[in-house]
Structures are given as structure tokens and as C-alpha cells.
Amino acid sequence: MTLETDVSDLWDRYQEGLTADDATSEDADVLEAFLSALEAGEVRAAEKTGDDVTSWEANEWVKRGILLNFGLRETEAREYGGVTYHDVLPLRETADLNDRGTRNTPDGTVIRRGAYVGSDAILMSPAFVNVGAHVGDGTLVDSCDTVGSAAQIGDNVKLGANTLIGGVLEPVESTPVIVEDGVSLGAGCRVTSGFVVGENSIVGENTLLTPRIPIYD
């Protein structure tokens, strides 16, 4: 059995009515193994299958795995920075980041379980990296940035302060927001709704990038 098979089987049972109360310890093990695979970069919510920006495709089973971690977990009281919060997911362990030269500054840098952060990256507080996100090597996530669920951020990217990278979990066939290698986004940018920012692009401050802006004649 592969992880993809395990997640797909669990998804089928969830669609048939499986609840968090009914989930077994074996089901919980699948969810944990899936999150660990995301954090290790072994699986990703989207992959590039060709040479141009239109060739990104969602990995539907991976996005289903993320959704299962919401649907089959109970909300629990958890501790962070001396404050009790309530969530279905804990925060990500970060000891491995130091081993790979990555820095995450204190008092507000939040990395949720199931997020991948590459080597020699910098995450400045306060910043938030959500489940399923992929942050590449050498990338800067600056102060007040949000990297949404399943967003794919390439290598050597600069996300200016107060930048929002939107999350796209549903529908599972929809490609998440993609920021390719070498991109520089100015402070205050917003990238939403599965928009793809092509390799080495430079985007000015306070720019909204979305495929949903209507065309007016």
C-alpha cells in the first residue's frame, strides 16, 4: 500500500460518512504520515508538468489529504507562546529548520503542521505559513506575510512585507497559488485564486494578482 492509496481509501470512507468520532488509530496514523510527507517535501499539492506557467496541475489526492486532516480530527486545546488556542492541527516542529540553515524569528512566526520550508530560507515575524504550503530554498517570507494552504512558493523568492498568498483547497482539482523561482513581490501584494506568477517576475508594491478580475468593455 502507498500513502496515496491509503489517503484515497480514507477519503472514500469519509465521503461515505466516516467522522472524527469513528476514525481509528490506524486512520490517525495515515493522517500523521501524510502530514510528515508534506513537511519533508515528499508530496506536494501541485506539480509542474511542462515548461510554461500553464502546466501546473493540482495533485487532487494531496489536497484531499489536507481536507481529511480537518474533517477527521477533533478541535483540541493547544499551547503556543504561553497562550491556549483551539485548533484541529498543532503547529509544526521546527528543529529541522536550523539543521538546514533556515531561520524563523520569534514572537509571531507560525508554521502549521503539514507545511514544507526549504533550506536557507528566512521567515520573519509575524508571518503565517499554512498547511500544505511549500516554501522553497533561499526564500524570504517577510513580516506580516501569509502563505495560504497548498500555496507553492519556489526557490529564491522574495515576498515583501504584508504580502498575502491565498490558499486554494477546494475544489480539489483547482490549482493553488503558484509563485515560481526567482520571483520578487513588492510589499503589500495580493496573489489569489490559483494565479501563477512566472519565474523571475518582479511585481511592484500593492499589486493584486488574480484571475477573477472581470473584463469591462
Side-chain angles (χ1 to χ4, degrees):
M1 297 282 284
T2 65
L3 182 59
E4 180 177 355
T5 299
D6 289 341
V7 168
S8 297
D9 289 347
L10 192 54
W11 178 262
D12 290 341
R13 292 168 54 213
Y14 178 64
Q15 294 298 103
E16 293 169 359
L18 179 68
T19 67
D21 289 337
D22 301 326
T24 66
S25 59
E26 288 80 8
D27 298 333
D29 289 344
V30 171
L31 297 179
E32 286 295 316
F34 173 76
L35 293 177
S36 295
L38 280 172
E39 292 174 7
E42 295 168 358
V43 299
R44 296 178 61 168
E47 295 183 41
K48 195 173 186 179
T49 59
D51 296 328
D52 58 56
V53 295
T54 65
S55 63
W56 283 92
E57 295 182 2
N59 279 329
E60 296 183 23
W61 77 269
V62 174
K63 294 179 75 178
R64 291 189 180 106
I66 296 171
L67 291 170
L68 284 170
N69 272 279
F70 293 108
L72 295 180
R73 291 179 181 269
E74 299 285 2
T75 298
E76 298 181 26
R78 306 178 187 276
E79 297 291 326
Y80 174 72
V83 176
T84 300
Y85 71 99
H86 298 81
D87 197 1
V88 293
L89 287 175
L91 300 184
R92 186 192 191 283
E93 296 292 334
T94 57
D96 63 307
L97 302 186
N98 180 65
D99 297 338
R100 292 182 284 109
T102 285
R103 292 182 278 153
N104 61 311
T105 59
D107 295 331
T109 301
V110 177
I111 310 173
R112 216 171 184 196
R113 272 231 66 187
Y116 172 84
V117 181
S119 301
D120 300 314
I122 301 172
L123 286 75
M124 299 296 295
S125 62
F128 179 68
V129 182
N130 209 346
V131 58
H134 185 104
V135 176
D137 297 343
T139 285
L140 169 65
V141 179
D142 211 339
S143 298
C144 300
D145 288 351
T146 296
V147 181
S149 49
Q152 305 292 296
I153 313 298
D155 297 339
N156 301 311
V157 170
K158 180 183 181 297
L159 302 182
N162 197 31
T163 290
L164 170 65
I165 305 298
V168 181
L169 282 182
E170 296 181 283
V172 294
E173 63 271 15
S174 294
T175 304
V177 173
I178 310 291
V179 180
E180 293 191 334
D181 296 348
V183 168
S184 179
L185 295 180
C189 285
R190 301 288 185 269
V191 189
T192 70
S193 305
F195 194 94
V196 180
V197 186
E199 186 175 358
N200 297 322
S201 297
I202 299 174
V203 181
E205 296 179 356
N206 298 313
T207 300
L208 171 63
L209 300 176
T210 175
R212 295 190 177 185
I213 296 176
I215 298 173
Y216 296 98
D217 294 328

